[in-house]
Amino acid sequence: MSRKSRILEAEKFESARSLEAAGENLQAIKAYHLVLKKNPLHTATTSRLLILYRKEKNIQAEITLLKDSLSAHENHNAESQREWISEHKKIAEDSRPLAKMLGMLGPDELPFYAHEILQKWKRRLAALEKRLITNAAKSSAANRPGPEKAASKTKNMKDQGQNSKKKF
């Protein structure tokens, strides 16, 4: 990334921060998305967006952002590791057996990457998905007739049936 593009990115980020500080959350969200559009790996922007989505109670947008950000970071890390391995073949070949024995390689034969913020985002994503499932189960249970509702519903149907017989 060139120096000029980093400066522009920083200015856009600061602009979004000032919108957020002014309480203009929707405009701040749009501004943060502009930063992420140029650089999907900008962790500070993702963190600020997650906070705004949490304030707005927009669970689905938060989940989508987390999935997209985690995917972008994981793809970037895998590509960086592949580049390093191709540039340092001898070191990679010599250290691979030890890394494998210590359980430091993933299924794709690349080293595990455990960045603290990415681990935090993964935990948040799991919690949000669990909450979404729980909320869906609660809402479907609320819409289902319980034993009392089912009994009163069948009673009403019987009453309607008796009333319709009387009319004929």
Side-chain angles (χ1 to χ4, degrees):
M1 180 181 274
S2 70
R3 184 173 189 267
K4 183 178 180 180
S5 60
R6 282 193 303 255
I7 291 170
L8 288 173
E9 180 180 282
E11 288 173 355
K12 286 181 182 179
F13 180 75
E14 286 306 315
S15 170
R17 288 282 299 188
S18 63
L19 286 168
E20 182 182 352
E24 298 177 23
N25 291 347
L26 294 177
Q27 288 81 12
I29 288 171
K30 289 177 186 177
Y32 283 132
H33 276 288
L34 290 175
V35 175
L36 282 182
K37 188 175 181 180
K38 294 286 185 185
N39 181 7
L41 303 174
H42 201 277
T43 56
T45 300
T46 302
S47 295
R48 296 309 312 162
L49 267 172
L50 290 171
I51 290 168
L52 287 175
Y53 285 144
R54 197 171 306 138
K55 284 180 181 178
E56 299 289 323
K57 297 185 176 153
N58 191 343
I59 293 175
Q60 195 58 51
E62 198 173 347
I63 288 173
T64 302
L65 177 63
L66 283 167
K67 285 181 178 180
D68 292 345
S69 294
L70 286 169
S71 175
H73 280 275
E74 288 168 356
N75 291 339
H76 173 74
N77 292 333
E79 186 58 36
S80 296
Q81 289 174 349
R82 284 189 191 97
E83 285 177 21
W84 187 91
I85 289 170
S86 69
E87 292 172 5
H88 304 89
K89 288 183 182 187
K90 179 70 174 144
I91 295 171
E93 287 174 15
D94 291 346
S95 61
R96 176 169 270 114
L98 178 61
K100 200 172 207 174
M101 186 172 53
L102 294 173
M104 297 173 72
L105 295 180
D108 53 357
E109 294 291 315
L110 294 174
F112 286 115
Y113 181 78
H115 191 276
E116 183 180 339
I117 195 152
L118 298 182
Q119 297 306 315
K120 182 179 176 182
W121 290 351
K122 286 179 183 179
R123 289 190 302 272
R124 177 70 180 160
L125 177 61
L128 287 171
E129 286 176 333
K130 184 177 178 181
R131 183 184 304 167
L132 204 60
I133 291 168
T134 304
N135 288 347
K138 284 181 182 178
S139 67
S140 67
N143 292 337
R144 272 186 276 147
E148 305 84 31
K149 290 181 181 178
S152 66
K153 189 174 183 179
T154 55
K155 184 179 182 231
N156 287 341
M157 290 172 66
K158 286 180 185 177
D159 292 343
Q160 288 175 355
Q162 289 174 356
N163 290 340
S164 63
K165 288 179 185 175
K166 291 178 184 177
K167 291 180 182 176
F168 293 109

